[in-house]
Amino acid sequence: MNAQASAPRVVIVGAGFAGLHAARGLRNAPVRVTVIDRTNHHLFQPLLYQVATASLSPADISAPIRGVLGKQANSEVLLGEVTGVDVEGRRVLMDEQEVPFDYLVLATGVQHNYFGHDEWRQYAIGLKTLQDATVIQRKILLAFEEAEREQDAERRQALLTFVVVGAGPAGVEMTGAVAELAHKALASDFRHIDPKQARVLLVEAGPRILPTFPESLAKKARAELTRLGVEVRTNCAVSAADEYGVEIGGVQLAAKTIVWMAGVRGSPAGVWLGAETDAAGRVTVRQDLSVAGHPDIFVIGDNASVLRKGKPLPGLAPVAVQEGRYVASLIADRVAGMAGKARTRLARPFRYRSRGTLATVGRAYGVVTMGKLRLTGLLAWVTWLFFHIFFLIGYRNRFIVVFQWALAYFSFKRTARIILAETPVARATRQEGSPKT
Amino acid sequence: MNAQASAPRVVIVGAGFAGLHAARGLRNAPVRVTVIDRTNHHLFQPLLYQVATASLSPADISAPIRGVLGKQANSEVLLGEVTGVDVEGRRVLMDEQEVPFDYLVLATGVQHNYFGHDEWRQYAIGLKTLQDATVIQRKILLAFEEAEREQDAERRQALLTFVVVGAGPAGVEMTGAVAELAHKALASDFRHIDPKQARVLLVEAGPRILPTFPESLAKKARAELTRLGVEVRTNCAVSAADEYGVEIGGVQLAAKTIVWMAGVRGSPAGVWLGAETDAAGRVTVRQDLSVAGHPDIFVIGDNASVLRKGKPLPGLAPVAVQEGRYVASLIADRVAGMAGKARTRLARPFRYRSRGTLATVGRAYGVVTMGKLRLTGLLAWVTWLFFHIFFLIGYRNRFIVVFQWALAYFSFKRTARIILAETPVARATRQEGSPKT
């Protein structure tokens, strides 16, 4: 069905910011693009915490990959799981098929890092996928429901204690949103508990929150979190996590809901390639984002370890977008070069142009750093809002999300707090006999 | 925590249209209202097919029950499964607790009727809950994904064949939406299949579609369905359903997606009470919607069999709303009567005031019957839209839903087509070793 069956094949694994922008960057190139993802949607990850805290629905922050690439005639989309790469044979291995490539772009992202304690994962849930977000949302809402029924004061308090581990931007945003959910949105919903009594903790092993931000902004963000009722604990490493709670600095804290947002760990792409990885398992790439010894295989996005001034670039959406676009233009140039044109830009190394860093604390407070500019408060929040909307893929989402934010801003309502899966009890009794028909 | 611990207790089981309107109707009465539901949300069921066909998100058509009743000080909400009723002891039985009542309102709804073939349920999925809708949505979207990968022509056609069983308003609406999804929204998304080739069938055992509508309207609706590419088969009973498809009139039809919207069967409320039920298992109630021999126990909504001119009232939202309001005012009057006031309206029987019946076929065609008025086409669709919006509980939902409809209308886009659960494969490989940290 493809117009140019002889055109070089570019296979892109992962349709996050990096992979999708690489695919779109190749829309006018004489190549055949195949995008492989294990989900059918591109996810606007920076807003995932809003799904986890019942402000937005999954569809509000995602776009079907096929929808995004539907009109791009030189592309096709495969839904499935990649299991490895046959580097010599130039094929991507999947469960039921193999996909040959001329150029390979691995944009497989990262997972949370449990620092050797993967057994904590089931209690301290990470937040990387829509699936994660709906699990956390369900867990938070059910904790209030169970607390409403619970007679024992101690168990009730454990149900109403929410711990977020890791105080990067995502952890700070998540904590602020949980605090507002508990202390404002749910305030009048219960009769036997007072959601305002819920404890919300932000636990960070390092000396301060928002380590990638200037210290002055981090201080203000911390003050704002405190104003929202969050207990911020820095210099506190988690030493254990189980169904009862977490151990912080040797002290047990009873908490039924733990959200893990600490550290990253590379996805298996490095293993597939047998490539050099950094301490976190991210693939060490060369200046043109290719893998040493494999000039036609690129790793981009969070899973690439790209050094700038000796430090790896942060795992941010703008970095991934720029890497995706860079690799697309590199491949397009190289293909054009093969077709006889001058190989003009081949040697130009990737350079990340930072447009600043943003984070939000609660519903109307943000911190922004752009070059020498520092912003805090409402203005920073509006800046954050603008940038996030601007980058949302798909117009529907932009409007809907703005609209919902506006509503949430004025009403404090969380309209997406729908617990979807039925209780196991409900499922069991439903099988039982109903009256004869 | 309740202001009037001595006030009569009204327990309402089920927070659908009937139960929720009963609860709200009691907001000024000197009673304590307890609403029990196994989900945390009220569901706008008439739009459920829009979730099943990826036009709306679950949260768009639902409202948290606690949110709706949060400000109603004389109410409380319990999330849980009712297992029975102790009629003599005047207690509602739940898994872990018992709830005493002075007045009991059972608004537990109905299930689909598989006419003695409950083994079909797993292949021919009903559409009653958000859970059902997300399962169907996932199944439809995955069928296209699998077809895109499938090499065998016969299996591919089975994946691209969608059968809706039952041609009441819900079945007609569902079929129209599936046809538009396949033939319009997904038209340019695939490379190896043409979604326009998908077969969409509406199968009805009776002689015509929309049996509760005037025949002239049903004919026009059928013509519109045909125009949308739906194959309508009347006088065709399903005689078998399994993983390969359905048997219709002795002929096997290979189809991977079957949606069951045929017939209703009462929920177990009749069994709990040991009350008289009709052939479908719905509880036969008296003129005041109470159960014979139990003047303080009421059954309302779809699960009540209320006769009008010898025929039971249809299972429509307006019927349920009016029954809920009626029972609320009856209980309020009776409580006031006990407090010394005249029992003025006690004997007034319930009367349903029909404001007409509406159904929609595809995105801009409706059929409406109101008294002597008959409408078809765009005007009927706008009427339908207006009524549905008007009845949506929660302002956010009204705006969002209108907005999304407007977008869908002009773009044919289905923005909610997000497949949420990961494939089993993905889940398995995720456990596997990632690079060491």
Side-chain angles (χ1 to χ4, degrees), chain A residues 1 38 40-41 57-60 62-64 66-67 69-73 75-76 79 81 95 97 111 113 129-132 134 141-142 145 148-149 188-192 265-268 271 277 279 281 396 399-400 403-404 407 415-422 425-427 429-430 434-437, chain B residues 1 38 40-41 57-60 62-64 66-67 69-73 75-76 79 81 95 97 111 113 129-132 134 141-142 145 148-149 188-192 265-268 271 277 279 281 396 399-400 403-404 407 415-422 425-427 429-430 434-437:
Chain A
M1 277 211 174
R38 58 184 174 196
N40 80 329
H41 49 272
S57 286
D60 297 334
S62 16
R66 292 191 190 284
L69 296 175
K71 307 277 185 203
Q72 185 172 329
S75 74
E76 77 166 309
L79 180 66
E81 181 83 12
D95 284 307
Q97 59 183 319
Q111 307 166 28
N113 196 340
T129 66
L130 281 179
Q131 199 80 349
D132 294 339
T134 51
L141 296 178
L142 282 177
E145 293 291 341
E148 172 84 349
R149 278 196 299 266
S188 64
D189 275 11
F190 295 88
R191 298 293 177 259
H192 304 289
R265 182 169 77 162
S267 56
V271 176
T277 55
R396 176 255 186 175
F399 287 115
I400 297 275
F403 186 73
Q404 252 150 256
L407 270 187
T415 47
R417 40 184 228 275
I418 304 306
I419 302 175
L420 249 194
E422 294 173 64
V425 177
R427 218 172 282 142
T429 48
R430 195 196 245 190
S434 307
K436 70 282 157 203
T437 56
Chain B
M1 277 213 176
R38 60 185 172 194
N40 81 328
H41 49 272
S57 285
D60 297 334
S62 20
R66 292 190 190 285
L69 296 175
K71 306 277 185 201
Q72 185 173 329
S75 75
E76 77 166 309
L79 179 67
E81 181 82 12
D95 283 307
Q97 60 182 319
Q111 306 166 29
N113 196 339
T129 66
L130 280 179
Q131 198 80 350
D132 294 338
T134 50
L141 296 179
L142 282 178
E145 293 292 341
E148 172 84 348
R149 278 196 298 267
S188 63
D189 274 13
F190 296 88
R191 299 293 177 260
H192 305 288
R265 180 168 79 162
S267 57
V271 176
T277 56
R396 175 253 185 174
F399 287 116
I400 297 274
F403 186 73
Q404 253 150 255
L407 271 187
T415 48
R417 39 182 227 276
I418 303 306
I419 302 176
L420 249 195
E422 293 173 65
V425 177
R427 218 171 281 141
T429 49
R430 197 195 243 189
S434 305
K436 69 282 158 201
T437 55

Side-chain angles (χ1 to χ4, degrees), chain A residues 143-150 156-157 160 186-198, chain B residues 1 66:
Chain A
F144 284 100
E145 293 291 341
E146 283 176 41
E148 172 84 349
R149 278 196 299 266
E150 182 59 62
R156 197 163 54 229
Q157 190 55 59
L160 293 178
L186 298 179
S188 64
D189 275 11
F190 295 88
R191 298 293 177 259
H192 304 289
I193 57 166
D194 179 2
K196 289 183 202 162
Q197 303 300 316
Chain B
M1 277 213 176
R66 292 190 190 285

Side-chain angles (χ1 to χ4, degrees), chain A residues 96-250:
Chain A
E96 290 173 2
Q97 59 183 319
E98 299 175 349
V99 186
F101 64 83
D102 297 300
Y103 297 91
L104 175 62
V105 180
L106 295 171
T108 48
V110 291
Q111 307 166 28
H112 286 297
N113 196 340
Y114 289 85
F115 305 105
H117 290 279
D118 277 0
E119 72 275 13
W120 298 353
R121 185 194 298 262
Q122 55 182 308
Y123 311 110
I125 305 160
L127 183 58
K128 282 286 175 200
T129 66
L130 281 179
Q131 199 80 349
D132 294 339
T134 51
V135 167
I136 291 173
Q137 186 248 39
R138 193 177 137 76
K139 206 168 162 135
I140 293 174
L141 296 178
L142 282 177
F144 284 100
E145 293 291 341
E146 283 176 41
E148 172 84 349
R149 278 196 299 266
E150 182 59 62
Q151 305 292 323
D152 180 84
E154 212 167 290
R155 282 201 294 267
R156 197 163 54 229
Q157 190 55 59
L159 285 164
L160 293 178
T161 302
F162 302 88
V163 178
V164 176
V165 183
V172 167
E173 291 178 338
M174 180 70 191
T175 317
V178 172
E180 289 198 330
L181 176 68
H183 300 158
K184 306 241 166 92
L186 298 179
S188 64
D189 275 11
F190 295 88
R191 298 293 177 259
H192 304 289
I193 57 166
D194 179 2
K196 289 183 202 162
Q197 303 300 316
R199 285 182 74 187
V200 182
L201 293 97
L202 177 61
V203 178
E204 165 62 41
R208 68 173 172 97
I209 71 167
L210 298 175
T212 57
F213 282 71
E215 187 148 9
S216 61
L217 291 191
K219 256 190 193 152
K220 288 189 180 171
R222 182 173 182 148
E224 179 65 15
L225 280 173
T226 307
R227 201 187 63 79
L228 291 176
V230 173
E231 303 172 38
V232 181
R233 304 238 184 125
T234 44
N235 288 314
C236 279
V238 168
S239 45
D242 60 24
E243 59 179 307
Y244 302 106
V246 285
E247 193 183 273
I248 309 170

Side-chain angles (χ1 to χ4, degrees), chain B residues 5 30 32 55 69 86 111 128 149 152 157 212 278 322 354 388 399 425 436:
Chain B
R32 290 172 294 163
S55 279
L69 296 175
D86 175 357
Q111 306 166 29
K128 281 287 176 199
R149 278 196 298 267
D152 181 85
Q157 190 55 58
T212 58
D278 70 4
Q322 291 179 31
S354 172
H388 279 75
F399 287 116
V425 177
K436 69 282 158 201

